[in-house]
């Protein structure tokens, strides 16, 4: 029999960085009691994103942050949309270049991920934010 479960996960980002949310998502999967299925994760914002990335070396996360900050600089002279400050439009561009949704398989009541993979909320704004991630799992 197919069942489904929903939850909205709140994450306090405390500024621009990558935050490992893998354990929180794995706990949601465990609590759902779904053995085999699919989980869809949606971040409910346009200035933060979701990515799957290496979880073994913190240097990877630092390098990613530095890469995106160099690729999309915080220079108000480059953008028309600066209503919320110099990080406003760069945050929207970074979100457009990454993901706002992730779908993953659930096998044996666990996320099916590679050994060195983690799920990260990628905060693109410099101020603290409470971000919402909508989790929808369905399966049997």
């Amino acid at each position: 029999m197919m069942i489904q479960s929903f939850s909205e996960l709140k994450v306090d980002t405390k500024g621009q960085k990558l935050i490992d949310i893998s354990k929180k998502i794995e706990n949601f999967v465990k609590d759902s009691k779904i053995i085999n299925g699919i989980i869809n994760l949606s971040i409910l914002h346009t200035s933060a994103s979701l990515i799957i990335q290496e979880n073994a070396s913190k240097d990877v996360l630092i390098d990613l942050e530095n890469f995106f900050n160099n690729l999309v600089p915080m220079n108000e002279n480059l953008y028309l949309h600066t209503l919320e400050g110099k990080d406003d439009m760069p945050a929207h561009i970074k979100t457009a270049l990454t993901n706002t949704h992730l779908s993953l398989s659930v096998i044996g009541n666990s996320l099916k991920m590679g050994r060195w993979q983690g799920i990260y909320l990628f905060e693109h704004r410099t101020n603290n934010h409470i971000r919402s991630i909508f989790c929808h799992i369905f399966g049997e």
Side-chain angles (χ1 to χ4, degrees), residues 24-37:
K24 292 180 182 197
I25 302 302
E26 186 71 44
N27 289 341
F28 171 69
V29 170
K30 296 278 184 218
D31 292 345
S32 76
K33 307 289 191 239
I34 289 176
I35 304 304
N36 297 312

Side-chain angles (χ1 to χ4, degrees), residues 8 16 33 50 59 70 75 82 97 111:
E8 195 166 313
Q16 192 177 57
K33 307 289 191 239
L50 299 171
D59 290 345
N70 287 323
N75 180 343
T82 59
L97 294 172
L111 292 171

Side-chain angles (χ1 to χ4, degrees), residues 69 72-91 93 125-126:
N69 285 334
V72 188
M74 286 191 237
N75 180 343
E76 289 179 286
N77 295 326
L78 297 175
Y79 313 108
L80 297 175
H81 180 74
T82 59
L83 293 174
E84 296 175 35
K86 69 180 183 178
D87 66 339
D88 193 3
M89 193 60 213
I93 293 170
R125 301 301 301 267
T126 57

Side-chain angles (χ1 to χ4, degrees), residues 31-48:
D31 292 345
S32 76
K33 307 289 191 239
I34 289 176
I35 304 304
N36 297 312
I38 299 286
I39 184 168
N40 185 70
L41 307 172
S42 301
I43 191 160
L44 305 178
H45 306 277
T46 60
S47 57

Side-chain angles (χ1 to χ4, degrees), residues 62-118:
I62 293 167
D63 286 343
L64 279 169
E65 288 178 46
N66 290 336
F67 173 80
F68 274 95
N69 285 334
N70 287 323
L71 182 66
V72 188
M74 286 191 237
N75 180 343
E76 289 179 286
N77 295 326
L78 297 175
Y79 313 108
L80 297 175
H81 180 74
T82 59
L83 293 174
E84 296 175 35
K86 69 180 183 178
D87 66 339
D88 193 3
M89 193 60 213
H92 294 296
I93 293 170
K94 291 172 186 176
T95 298
L97 294 172
T98 53
N99 302 294
T100 57
H101 298 77
L102 296 174
S103 292
L104 298 161
S105 294
V106 174
I107 308 294
N109 194 234
S110 293
L111 292 171
K112 181 65 177 170
M113 295 181 64
R115 180 177 182 171
W116 306 114
Q117 290 183 319

